[in-house]
Every structure is written in C-alpha cells, then in structure tokens.
Amino acid sequence: MKQIKVFFAIFCFAALFGASHAAVNLTGVAAVNVTSDTAAVAKNMAMDEARQQIITDILSQYSNSEQLRAALQNAAGSELANLISASSIDGEKLSDTTYSANITMTLDSAAARTWLNEKGVQNWLPDAARSDMFTVIITLSDAMADWMGLNQIARREKIDIATKYIMGNQITAEMPSASRAAFTIALREAGWHYSNQDGLLRIWK
C-alpha cells in the first residue's frame, strides 16, 4: 500500500510539475464578416473587431472581467495593436464591400501585463520572471469554513498562501511552484476538487 501511495505521489508530481511550467496559451481565433463602403475599409474594421474579441476572450481568463471591459471600451485600436505579438489570416474572402476571414492573434504576455496594470485592471497573468510561483484561483462555497480548511491544509504542508485579489467568493493567490504537487495531493485527500488551465490551478470544494 505504501509503495502504491509513493508511486501515486511521484506520478502526480510529474504531471503537475509539467502543468505548472506549461506556457500560457495567449493565442485566439476570431471569425469576422464585415460590410462597409469598400473591402479595404471592411478589412480594417474586421481586424479591429477581431483584436477586441481575442483580447477580451484571452485576458478575461486572467483578470477582473468588469474592469477589463471598461478598459477596452476606452482603448484606441493602435493601443491594443501593441498587445499583439503575431497574427495570421485564414479563409480570407473579399467582395467590393465585404471582408470575411478567420483571424488568429497571439498576445505579448509582458505587454498585456503592463497594459492591464496601467489601466488598473486586477489580473493574475503569469509572469515568466516569477517561474518560482504559480497562481491559484480559489472558489469558496462556504466562505469561512472553506477558507479555514484551506489554511489548515497549507499550514500542515508548510505552504505560504499569498493572497492577491478577493472578488466575492473567489480568491486569487500565489504559492511556491515547488509546493504545487504536495498541495494538490493534500487538497484531493481533503475532498477538494482542482483543475489546471494554462498553468493556473483552479480549486473548489
């Protein structure tokens, strides 16, 4: 039984270590179909629309969505263009007044993080310079009981929970990457659920 538990711990560590250091996926695709006075104008409008949609879809996973929407409403197209590191177009179709295509864009992580911080948007976009830490999104069903239970697990495993943001029943925190495997094993044994999403650890009970 002891050998099985040791094997399970090693297996979890290998899987979770890889997940914790996986690159964050900052690439999105938008299907656009725009009609305007000319195809050239329609294409420019389509690019702006795609950029807005992709930035919203990607950054809403790593930031306060209400603050993000407010920041995007007041952002100029040229400002948002600076957040894009690469783009490509597939299935492009044009007529005299219409432009349609599938547009793929990849965000620049450092530029996006800087922009979010400048706009005062609470965010937990992973920082490559802080590879020794990982971000955990905690959803509490019973705020007091769940939070106390979580802290008991952390103390028992000698893990520091650095709280970053609190929004309703959701807490965003940072923890040492070296403790991720032990933490998730302890969570599972205590009846918590967890999932990995692009390097983020989401937990709930």
Side-chain angles (χ1 to χ4, degrees), residues 12 78 96 122 138 165 191:
C12 287
S78 57
D96 290 341
Q122 291 183 336
I138 307 161
Y165 309 112

Side-chain angles (χ1 to χ4, degrees), residues 24-29 54 58 104-107:
V24 176
N25 181 14
L26 297 181
T27 299
V29 181
I54 290 171
I58 293 175
T104 300
M105 293 182 177
T106 300
L107 273 61

Side-chain angles (χ1 to χ4, degrees), residues 74-92:
N74 300 317
S78 57
E79 180 182 345
L80 297 183
N82 292 330
L83 306 185
I84 307 300
S85 63
S87 63
S88 61
I89 299 173
D90 183 49
E92 188 176 53

